[in-house]
Amino acid sequence: VVTYRFNDYLSLMGRIGLNESHTENKNRTAFSTVGANNQFGSYYTRQARDYELNMDLLLTFEKDLSQVLNLKTSLGGNQMKTESSWVDGTAEQLLVPDVYNLGNHRVYPKTGNWYQQKRLNSVYGFANLAYRKMLYLDITARNDWSSSLPPDKDSYFYPSFALSGLMDRILTLPDVISFWKIRGSWARVGNDTDPYQLQDAYYWGTGEGGAATVSQSSVKANPDLKPELTSAWEAGTDLRLFNNRLMLDLTYYNSVTSNQILRVEVSPTTGYEFILKNAGKIR
């Protein structure tokens, strides 16, 4: 993280974060293992890698506009890159006992590998306005562009608004009330999907005698997927009595999610078991 301050109220922050993990799995089944499907033993190995890179740039302005009004606002951008890959192999019948290596096999070993990547570009901003430390207005806005959605539907915008007030500072209340806050908000959140859901995929495999095979995915892709959207509003209050000995926090909210990306069952006569669709609505 690097921050540069232009003056007392304007600063620029740059940040880069990397998260990477590597895993290795090995499974060994010895000769004549009780209950094993293969009396000659077997060996399985898998190596996997997951990678996520985040880059942020954020310009922040914070200043008291007057003796009673404080403003903090930021404008920034983010780019997220993810990659995931694995490679594995299985020797199902070992030629030499207790030698666990893919080259030690009676039949041709089965191998596989996978690689996927995704990019998400975003611009966002927020503003926090405080009046006399008793009224607070928070506004946010964000727009994402996702590589996992069709080019004409890869952009989605979601804002939010929140207003809260400290009633014990605004009104003259009985001494029994130590603190009273009321709040209300509205927000929309967008979401994309996993990579490679727009075109049908085919998978390499190994058949009898080591013959190469190609199989079709059981899920029919959809080139017209749209982003999921969730809209919600909320109202609530926080009341504390008798020097905070008794507290009451009440919230009512209503949330609606539309354009959910779901696997919907289809007739097997289509050649698929499921199809990806924007379907369903949850309240």
Side-chain angles (χ1 to χ4, degrees):
V1 179
V2 177
T3 302
Y4 178 78
R5 299 197 66 87
F6 298 97
N7 47 46
D8 292 339
Y9 50 84
L10 186 64
S11 64
L12 181 66
M13 183 271 291
R15 176 175 56 196
I16 297 178
L18 175 63
N19 185 14
E20 186 171 359
S21 65
H22 296 262
T23 59
E24 182 176 7
N25 300 321
K26 294 182 179 181
N27 185 41
R28 302 175 179 181
T29 303
F31 267 52
S32 302
T33 298
V34 175
N37 293 327
N38 180 7
Q39 62 175 334
F40 296 104
S42 62
Y43 174 65
Y44 170 80
T45 180
R46 176 186 175 106
Q47 293 181 341
R49 171 181 176 265
D50 291 295
Y51 168 96
E52 181 176 317
L53 176 67
N54 275 283
M55 296 179 288
D56 289 278
L57 192 65
L58 189 66
L59 182 67
T60 300
F61 174 89
E62 184 174 10
K63 189 177 183 181
D64 291 328
L65 302 181
S66 67
Q67 293 183 348
V68 297
L69 196 62
N70 174 267
L71 173 66
K72 181 179 181 180
T73 183
S74 294
L75 179 65
N78 169 269
Q79 184 180 84
M80 182 185 73
K81 297 179 181 179
T82 61
E83 294 181 6
S84 178
S85 63
W86 55 259
V87 59
D88 67 359
T90 303
E92 291 187 334
Q93 298 184 32
L94 301 182
L95 185 63
V96 179
D98 301 325
V99 176
Y100 298 102
N101 186 290
L102 292 179
N104 179 26
H105 56 81
R106 294 174 180 267
V107 296
Y108 196 82
K110 295 181 179 180
T111 60
N113 70 285
W114 171 262
Y115 175 80
Q116 72 174 27
Q117 59 181 345
K118 176 180 172 181
R119 178 176 295 183
L120 187 68
N121 295 325
S122 309
V123 293
Y124 55 89
F126 63 85
N128 309 112
L129 194 63
Y131 175 72
R132 291 186 180 274
K133 296 183 179 181
M134 59 184 183
L135 285 175
Y136 300 88
L137 175 64
D138 298 321
I139 301 173
T140 71
R142 177 170 177 141
N143 200 97
D144 289 349
W145 291 265
S146 173
S147 66
S148 65
L149 294 171
D152 59 337
K153 300 181 179 70
D154 64 348
S155 174
Y156 46 99
F157 173 74
Y158 46 102
S160 73
F161 307 90
L163 180 64
S164 61
L166 302 180
M167 305 308 295
D168 54 304
R169 296 186 179 182
I170 298 174
L171 304 174
T172 301
L173 301 174
D175 294 337
V176 69
I177 299 177
S178 311
F179 176 85
W180 184 23
K181 177 182 180 180
I182 60 174
R183 61 186 183 273
S185 64
W186 177 88
R188 174 177 291 166
V189 178
N191 188 33
D192 58 359
T193 185
D194 294 329
Y196 314 135
Q197 305 296 312
L198 308 179
Q199 294 180 335
D200 290 330
Y202 297 85
Y203 300 93
W204 293 101
T206 305
E208 293 296 329
T213 62
V214 178
S215 59
Q216 176 182 267
S217 171
S218 62
V219 181
K220 174 64 175 173
N222 186 345
D224 297 318
L225 289 178
K226 296 181 288 186
E228 297 181 4
L229 290 175
T230 299
S231 298
W233 64 269
E234 177 183 307
T237 184
D238 184 1
L239 182 64
R240 304 177 189 179
L241 307 173
F242 308 112
N243 290 325
N244 297 323
R245 290 184 175 88
L246 178 63
M247 294 178 287
L248 178 65
D249 194 339
L250 295 176
T251 300
Y252 179 85
Y253 66 91
N254 185 71
S255 176
V256 178
T257 301
S258 57
N259 290 336
Q260 288 180 285
I261 300 176
L262 301 174
R263 290 186 176 188
V264 179
E265 288 191 51
V266 294
S267 170
T269 59
T270 62
Y272 300 91
E273 296 180 17
F274 303 92
I275 183 173
L276 282 176
K277 292 184 66 175
N278 289 107
K281 193 172 185 179
I282 292 180
R283 183 183 300 274

